[in-house]
Amino acid sequence: MIITEKKDRAKLLETVKDYKSFFLLGCSECATLCGTGGEPELKEMKELLEANGKTVTGTFVAKTGCQVLGTKVELKGHKEALEATDCIIVMSCGAGTQSAVEIFPQIAVYPANNSAFLGNMTRLQMFDERCSLCGDCILDQTGGICPVTACPKGILNGPCGGTNDGNCEISPDIKCAWVRIYERMGKLGKTVEFKEMVLEPKRWSASIKPRRVNAREEKK
Ligand code: SF4
Ligand code: SF4
């Protein structure tokens, strides 16, 4: 999931100070789980805007905000409110914000959140980064633990000389990614494979932006 965090509200109010009427758009998926773009957060934003003399023409939590066509269809039911809107505040990730830009080229669109990273919810409201979207996954070779993301240096053949009692030199609170990989592969009976493993240089060209996947083409 995409982990989002709320932008500073005072700064957001300053950014949109010239607009009068607002429509709030959330997302029922990642942003709802992050507590940044579900019904409670939209209600909170509505109250904040109204307390600052603004009009809120409508609010809506899209099923999947980054799905442009689906969101466009869902918002047809809010045509009247959107026609009376001069600014949409999107309370999901950056992709959701850009869906709104694409659907409403004539209306100003502003993000209420910062998109932080791709991660997992490990406990309620606790999120850990797990994947850097490198485009050339090596989890099949590293016991399912990602050194590109879990190691602050992204070292492919670790550990580095800074590992200390199994922890990363960056912080004693972070276990060395390569110690984790070693332990995990050991549990799978693959210690020998670990010791012999030399990862090839990665295909970093797969992470050159902007990327596009055409799944329909790939199915042919
Ligand atoms: S190797 Fe690349 S794609 Fe696989 S989890 Fe790590 S960053 Fe993500
Ligand atoms: S100690 Fe381990 S996790 Fe930290 S930088 Fe070195 S190899 Fe990476």
Side-chain angles (χ1 to χ4, degrees), residues 169-199:
E169 66 175 337
I170 299 294
S171 163
D173 297 330
I174 303 173
K175 190 160 180 174
C176 171
W178 278 98
V179 170
R180 289 175 57 208
I181 292 168
Y182 171 72
E183 290 176 354
R184 164 84 174 149
M185 289 182 73
K187 280 184 190 149
L188 298 175
K190 296 191 172 188
T191 302
V192 173
E193 284 90 333
F194 177 89
K195 287 182 176 168
E196 289 172 352
M197 176 167 65
V198 178
L199 292 179

mmCIF file of all heavy atoms in Angstrom, residues 169-199:
data_model
loop_
_atom_site.group_PDB
_atom_site.id
_atom_site.type_symbol
_atom_site.label_atom_id
_atom_site.label_comp_id
_atom_site.label_asym_id
_atom_site.label_seq_id
_atom_site.Cartn_x
_atom_site.Cartn_y
_atom_site.Cartn_z
ATOM 1 N N GLU A 169 24.676 -0.156 11.056
ATOM 2 C CA GLU A 169 25.482 0.953 11.598
ATOM 3 C C GLU A 169 24.710 2.271 11.621
ATOM 4 O O GLU A 169 25.069 3.199 12.344
ATOM 5 C CB GLU A 169 26.766 1.128 10.797
ATOM 6 C CG GLU A 169 26.559 1.573 9.365
ATOM 7 C CD GLU A 169 27.881 1.841 8.661
ATOM 8 O OE1 GLU A 169 28.876 2.107 9.345
ATOM 9 O OE2 GLU A 169 27.908 1.777 7.423
ATOM 10 N N ILE A 170 23.656 2.341 10.826
ATOM 11 C CA ILE A 170 22.862 3.572 10.785
ATOM 12 C C ILE A 170 22.128 3.792 12.111
ATOM 13 O O ILE A 170 21.998 4.908 12.596
ATOM 14 C CB ILE A 170 21.829 3.501 9.626
ATOM 15 C CG1 ILE A 170 22.545 3.370 8.280
ATOM 16 C CG2 ILE A 170 20.863 4.684 9.624
ATOM 17 C CD1 ILE A 170 23.376 4.569 7.876
ATOM 18 N N SER A 171 21.646 2.663 12.700
ATOM 19 C CA SER A 171 20.892 2.776 13.954
ATOM 20 C C SER A 171 20.811 1.420 14.640
ATOM 21 O O SER A 171 20.556 0.407 13.983
ATOM 22 C CB SER A 171 19.471 3.277 13.657
ATOM 23 O OG SER A 171 18.633 3.019 14.749
ATOM 24 N N PRO A 172 21.006 1.401 15.957
ATOM 25 C CA PRO A 172 20.874 0.117 16.664
ATOM 26 C C PRO A 172 19.433 -0.389 16.664
ATOM 27 O O PRO A 172 19.156 -1.533 17.027
ATOM 28 C CB PRO A 172 21.350 0.440 18.087
ATOM 29 C CG PRO A 172 21.245 1.927 18.213
ATOM 30 C CD PRO A 172 21.382 2.502 16.832
ATOM 31 N N ASP A 173 18.496 0.454 16.261
ATOM 32 C CA ASP A 173 17.095 0.034 16.209
ATOM 33 C C ASP A 173 16.751 -0.700 14.910
ATOM 34 O O ASP A 173 15.654 -1.208 14.748
ATOM 35 C CB ASP A 173 16.153 1.248 16.326
ATOM 36 C CG ASP A 173 16.317 1.952 17.660
ATOM 37 O OD1 ASP A 173 16.659 1.261 18.640
ATOM 38 O OD2 ASP A 173 16.128 3.182 17.705
ATOM 39 N N ILE A 174 17.720 -0.685 13.966
ATOM 40 C CA ILE A 174 17.463 -1.351 12.683
ATOM 41 C C ILE A 174 18.340 -2.590 12.586
ATOM 42 O O ILE A 174 19.571 -2.495 12.665
ATOM 43 C CB ILE A 174 17.799 -0.417 11.487
ATOM 44 C CG1 ILE A 174 17.001 0.888 11.559
ATOM 45 C CG2 ILE A 174 17.539 -1.122 10.156
ATOM 46 C CD1 ILE A 174 17.416 1.902 10.491
ATOM 47 N N LYS A 175 17.708 -3.735 12.435
ATOM 48 C CA LYS A 175 18.497 -4.944 12.253
ATOM 49 C C LYS A 175 19.092 -4.917 10.848
ATOM 50 O O LYS A 175 18.425 -4.492 9.898
ATOM 51 C CB LYS A 175 17.596 -6.170 12.427
ATOM 52 C CG LYS A 175 18.356 -7.466 12.486
ATOM 53 C CD LYS A 175 17.533 -8.567 13.141
ATOM 54 C CE LYS A 175 18.328 -9.845 13.171
ATOM 55 N NZ LYS A 175 17.684 -10.915 13.886
ATOM 56 N N CYS A 176 20.349 -5.351 10.716
ATOM 57 C CA CYS A 176 20.997 -5.372 9.401
ATOM 58 C C CYS A 176 20.175 -6.237 8.446
ATOM 59 O O CYS A 176 19.838 -7.385 8.747
ATOM 60 C CB CYS A 176 22.412 -5.924 9.537
ATOM 61 S SG CYS A 176 23.188 -6.229 7.931
ATOM 62 N N ALA A 177 19.874 -5.682 7.294
ATOM 63 C CA ALA A 177 19.069 -6.400 6.307
ATOM 64 C C ALA A 177 19.729 -7.715 5.925
ATOM 65 O O ALA A 177 19.051 -8.741 5.735
ATOM 66 C CB ALA A 177 18.883 -5.525 5.072
ATOM 67 N N TRP A 178 21.048 -7.685 5.823
ATOM 68 C CA TRP A 178 21.739 -8.908 5.377
ATOM 69 C C TRP A 178 21.824 -9.963 6.480
ATOM 70 O O TRP A 178 21.888 -11.157 6.187
ATOM 71 C CB TRP A 178 23.106 -8.550 4.784
ATOM 72 C CG TRP A 178 22.889 -8.122 3.364
ATOM 73 C CD1 TRP A 178 22.798 -6.850 2.900
ATOM 74 C CD2 TRP A 178 22.612 -8.987 2.256
ATOM 75 N NE1 TRP A 178 22.501 -6.862 1.556
ATOM 76 C CE2 TRP A 178 22.388 -8.151 1.131
ATOM 77 C CE3 TRP A 178 22.525 -10.366 2.091
ATOM 78 C CZ2 TRP A 178 22.088 -8.662 -0.132
ATOM 79 C CZ3 TRP A 178 22.240 -10.877 0.832
ATOM 80 C CH2 TRP A 178 22.026 -10.041 -0.263
ATOM 81 N N VAL A 179 21.786 -9.537 7.729
ATOM 82 C CA VAL A 179 21.683 -10.516 8.825
ATOM 83 C C VAL A 179 20.299 -11.151 8.777
ATOM 84 O O VAL A 179 20.136 -12.368 8.943
ATOM 85 C CB VAL A 179 21.962 -9.841 10.189
ATOM 86 C CG1 VAL A 179 21.622 -10.782 11.339
ATOM 87 C CG2 VAL A 179 23.412 -9.399 10.268
ATOM 88 N N ARG A 180 19.285 -10.330 8.507
ATOM 89 C CA ARG A 180 17.924 -10.865 8.381
ATOM 90 C C ARG A 180 17.847 -11.873 7.228
ATOM 91 O O ARG A 180 17.215 -12.920 7.349
ATOM 92 C CB ARG A 180 16.929 -9.720 8.140
ATOM 93 C CG ARG A 180 16.697 -8.844 9.361
ATOM 94 C CD ARG A 180 15.796 -7.674 9.018
ATOM 95 N NE ARG A 180 14.521 -8.119 8.478
ATOM 96 C CZ ARG A 180 13.769 -7.404 7.630
ATOM 97 N NH1 ARG A 180 14.170 -6.216 7.238
ATOM 98 N NH2 ARG A 180 12.646 -7.878 7.195
ATOM 99 N N ILE A 181 18.500 -11.533 6.115
ATOM 100 C CA ILE A 181 18.462 -12.444 4.958
ATOM 101 C C ILE A 181 19.181 -13.752 5.308
ATOM 102 O O ILE A 181 18.691 -14.844 5.011
ATOM 103 C CB ILE A 181 19.100 -11.762 3.719
ATOM 104 C CG1 ILE A 181 18.200 -10.606 3.261
ATOM 105 C CG2 ILE A 181 19.307 -12.760 2.578
ATOM 106 C CD1 ILE A 181 18.840 -9.672 2.239
ATOM 107 N N TYR A 182 20.319 -13.619 5.987
ATOM 108 C CA TYR A 182 21.087 -14.814 6.389
ATOM 109 C C TYR A 182 20.237 -15.708 7.295
ATOM 110 O O TYR A 182 20.140 -16.925 7.096
ATOM 111 C CB TYR A 182 22.362 -14.363 7.123
ATOM 112 C CG TYR A 182 23.136 -15.472 7.776
ATOM 113 C CD1 TYR A 182 23.862 -16.382 7.027
ATOM 114 C CD2 TYR A 182 23.124 -15.618 9.169
ATOM 115 C CE1 TYR A 182 24.565 -17.414 7.630
ATOM 116 C CE2 TYR A 182 23.828 -16.644 9.787
ATOM 117 C CZ TYR A 182 24.542 -17.544 9.000
ATOM 118 O OH TYR A 182 25.230 -18.559 9.602
ATOM 119 N N GLU A 183 19.591 -15.093 8.286
ATOM 120 C CA GLU A 183 18.782 -15.879 9.230
ATOM 121 C C GLU A 183 17.583 -16.523 8.532
ATOM 122 O O GLU A 183 17.240 -17.667 8.781
ATOM 123 C CB GLU A 183 18.317 -14.988 10.384
ATOM 124 C CG GLU A 183 19.478 -14.595 11.294
ATOM 125 C CD GLU A 183 19.093 -13.637 12.416
ATOM 126 O OE1 GLU A 183 17.936 -13.157 12.445
ATOM 127 O OE2 GLU A 183 19.962 -13.357 13.250
ATOM 128 N N ARG A 184 16.961 -15.761 7.676
ATOM 129 C CA ARG A 184 15.792 -16.275 6.958
ATOM 130 C C ARG A 184 16.184 -17.457 6.053
ATOM 131 O O ARG A 184 15.529 -18.489 6.046
ATOM 132 C CB ARG A 184 15.188 -15.138 6.124
ATOM 133 C CG ARG A 184 14.224 -15.555 5.055
ATOM 134 C CD ARG A 184 12.827 -15.749 5.572
ATOM 135 N NE ARG A 184 11.936 -16.008 4.455
ATOM 136 C CZ ARG A 184 10.859 -16.766 4.525
ATOM 137 N NH1 ARG A 184 10.528 -17.333 5.666
ATOM 138 N NH2 ARG A 184 10.105 -16.972 3.476
ATOM 139 N N MET A 185 17.280 -17.288 5.322
ATOM 140 C CA MET A 185 17.693 -18.367 4.434
ATOM 141 C C MET A 185 18.149 -19.586 5.232
ATOM 142 O O MET A 185 17.948 -20.726 4.817
ATOM 143 C CB MET A 185 18.763 -17.867 3.454
ATOM 144 C CG MET A 185 18.151 -16.911 2.422
ATOM 145 S SD MET A 185 19.285 -16.288 1.169
ATOM 146 C CE MET A 185 19.524 -17.731 0.116
ATOM 147 N N GLY A 186 18.718 -19.317 6.416
ATOM 148 C CA GLY A 186 19.094 -20.421 7.298
ATOM 149 C C GLY A 186 17.875 -21.236 7.705
ATOM 150 O O GLY A 186 17.889 -22.469 7.695
ATOM 151 N N LYS A 187 16.793 -20.531 8.055
ATOM 152 C CA LYS A 187 15.557 -21.213 8.467
ATOM 153 C C LYS A 187 14.987 -22.049 7.322
ATOM 154 O O LYS A 187 14.286 -23.030 7.547
ATOM 155 C CB LYS A 187 14.515 -20.190 8.912
ATOM 156 C CG LYS A 187 14.743 -19.689 10.323
ATOM 157 C CD LYS A 187 13.647 -18.756 10.765
ATOM 158 C CE LYS A 187 14.043 -18.098 12.079
ATOM 159 N NZ LYS A 187 13.513 -16.776 12.237
ATOM 160 N N LEU A 188 15.280 -21.631 6.085
ATOM 161 C CA LEU A 188 14.777 -22.363 4.919
ATOM 162 C C LEU A 188 15.756 -23.451 4.474
ATOM 163 O O LEU A 188 15.585 -24.071 3.431
ATOM 164 C CB LEU A 188 14.532 -21.390 3.753
ATOM 165 C CG LEU A 188 13.488 -20.298 3.996
ATOM 166 C CD1 LEU A 188 13.440 -19.338 2.826
ATOM 167 C CD2 LEU A 188 12.115 -20.898 4.232
ATOM 168 N N GLY A 189 16.814 -23.655 5.272
ATOM 169 C CA GLY A 189 17.821 -24.670 4.933
ATOM 170 C C GLY A 189 18.693 -24.243 3.761
ATOM 171 O O GLY A 189 19.180 -25.086 2.998
ATOM 172 N N LYS A 190 18.892 -22.938 3.601
ATOM 173 C CA LYS A 190 19.644 -22.447 2.433
ATOM 174 C C LYS A 190 20.904 -21.680 2.836
ATOM 175 O O LYS A 190 21.298 -20.738 2.148
ATOM 176 C CB LYS A 190 18.735 -21.558 1.573
ATOM 177 C CG LYS A 190 17.575 -22.335 0.978
ATOM 178 C CD LYS A 190 16.837 -21.548 -0.058
ATOM 179 C CE LYS A 190 15.825 -22.479 -0.720
ATOM 180 N NZ LYS A 190 15.171 -21.936 -1.832
ATOM 181 N N THR A 191 21.532 -22.086 3.938
ATOM 182 C CA THR A 191 22.751 -21.390 4.376
ATOM 183 C C THR A 191 23.860 -21.523 3.340
ATOM 184 O O THR A 191 24.591 -20.565 3.068
ATOM 185 C CB THR A 191 23.215 -21.958 5.736
ATOM 186 O OG1 THR A 191 22.137 -21.797 6.649
ATOM 187 C CG2 THR A 191 24.428 -21.216 6.280
ATOM 188 N N VAL A 192 23.975 -22.703 2.742
ATOM 189 C CA VAL A 192 25.035 -22.919 1.738
ATOM 190 C C VAL A 192 24.796 -21.989 0.552
ATOM 191 O O VAL A 192 25.722 -21.303 0.079
ATOM 192 C CB VAL A 192 25.059 -24.405 1.292
ATOM 193 C CG1 VAL A 192 26.033 -24.581 0.127
ATOM 194 C CG2 VAL A 192 25.448 -25.300 2.455
ATOM 195 N N GLU A 193 23.534 -21.939 0.098
ATOM 196 C CA GLU A 193 23.203 -21.054 -1.038
ATOM 197 C C GLU A 193 23.521 -19.595 -0.681
ATOM 198 O O GLU A 193 24.025 -18.835 -1.499
ATOM 199 C CB GLU A 193 21.716 -21.152 -1.408
ATOM 200 C CG GLU A 193 21.349 -22.401 -2.178
ATOM 201 C CD GLU A 193 20.945 -23.548 -1.262
ATOM 202 O OE1 GLU A 193 21.415 -23.591 -0.095
ATOM 203 O OE2 GLU A 193 20.180 -24.414 -1.715
ATOM 204 N N PHE A 194 23.239 -19.215 0.588
ATOM 205 C CA PHE A 194 23.532 -17.836 1.003
ATOM 206 C C PHE A 194 25.029 -17.559 0.874
ATOM 207 O O PHE A 194 25.438 -16.527 0.345
ATOM 208 C CB PHE A 194 23.072 -17.593 2.445
ATOM 209 C CG PHE A 194 23.423 -16.223 2.950
ATOM 210 C CD1 PHE A 194 22.555 -15.157 2.762
ATOM 211 C CD2 PHE A 194 24.640 -15.986 3.582
ATOM 212 C CE1 PHE A 194 22.897 -13.878 3.189
ATOM 213 C CE2 PHE A 194 24.988 -14.711 4.017
ATOM 214 C CZ PHE A 194 24.108 -13.659 3.827
ATOM 215 N N LYS A 195 25.831 -18.497 1.373
ATOM 216 C CA LYS A 195 27.288 -18.276 1.378
ATOM 217 C C LYS A 195 27.851 -18.213 -0.036
ATOM 218 O O LYS A 195 28.851 -17.540 -0.276
ATOM 219 C CB LYS A 195 27.971 -19.366 2.195
ATOM 220 C CG LYS A 195 27.731 -19.172 3.693
ATOM 221 C CD LYS A 195 28.430 -20.205 4.536
ATOM 222 C CE LYS A 195 28.228 -19.912 6.006
ATOM 223 N NZ LYS A 195 28.625 -21.008 6.869
ATOM 224 N N GLU A 196 27.193 -18.922 -0.951
ATOM 225 C CA GLU A 196 27.707 -18.931 -2.334
ATOM 226 C C GLU A 196 27.074 -17.837 -3.199
ATOM 227 O O GLU A 196 27.482 -17.625 -4.342
ATOM 228 C CB GLU A 196 27.419 -20.302 -2.969
ATOM 229 C CG GLU A 196 28.290 -21.390 -2.358
ATOM 230 C CD GLU A 196 27.904 -22.772 -2.825
ATOM 231 O OE1 GLU A 196 26.869 -22.914 -3.514
ATOM 232 O OE2 GLU A 196 28.639 -23.724 -2.476
ATOM 233 N N MET A 197 26.112 -17.135 -2.627
ATOM 234 C CA MET A 197 25.328 -16.194 -3.425
ATOM 235 C C MET A 197 26.148 -14.942 -3.793
ATOM 236 O O MET A 197 26.757 -14.307 -2.935
ATOM 237 C CB MET A 197 24.092 -15.761 -2.623
ATOM 238 C CG MET A 197 23.255 -14.717 -3.315
ATOM 239 S SD MET A 197 21.642 -14.521 -2.514
ATOM 240 C CE MET A 197 22.091 -13.890 -0.924
ATOM 241 N N VAL A 198 26.147 -14.632 -5.062
ATOM 242 C CA VAL A 198 26.707 -13.348 -5.525
ATOM 243 C C VAL A 198 25.637 -12.743 -6.429
ATOM 244 O O VAL A 198 25.347 -13.279 -7.499
ATOM 245 C CB VAL A 198 28.020 -13.533 -6.318
ATOM 246 C CG1 VAL A 198 28.521 -12.179 -6.806
ATOM 247 C CG2 VAL A 198 29.070 -14.228 -5.479
ATOM 248 N N LEU A 199 25.044 -11.667 -5.973
ATOM 249 C CA LEU A 199 24.000 -11.049 -6.789
ATOM 250 C C LEU A 199 24.624 -10.240 -7.918
ATOM 251 O O LEU A 199 25.544 -9.467 -7.696
ATOM 252 C CB LEU A 199 23.100 -10.155 -5.935
ATOM 253 C CG LEU A 199 22.210 -10.869 -4.912
ATOM 254 C CD1 LEU A 199 21.391 -9.849 -4.125
ATOM 255 C CD2 LEU A 199 21.281 -11.863 -5.583
#
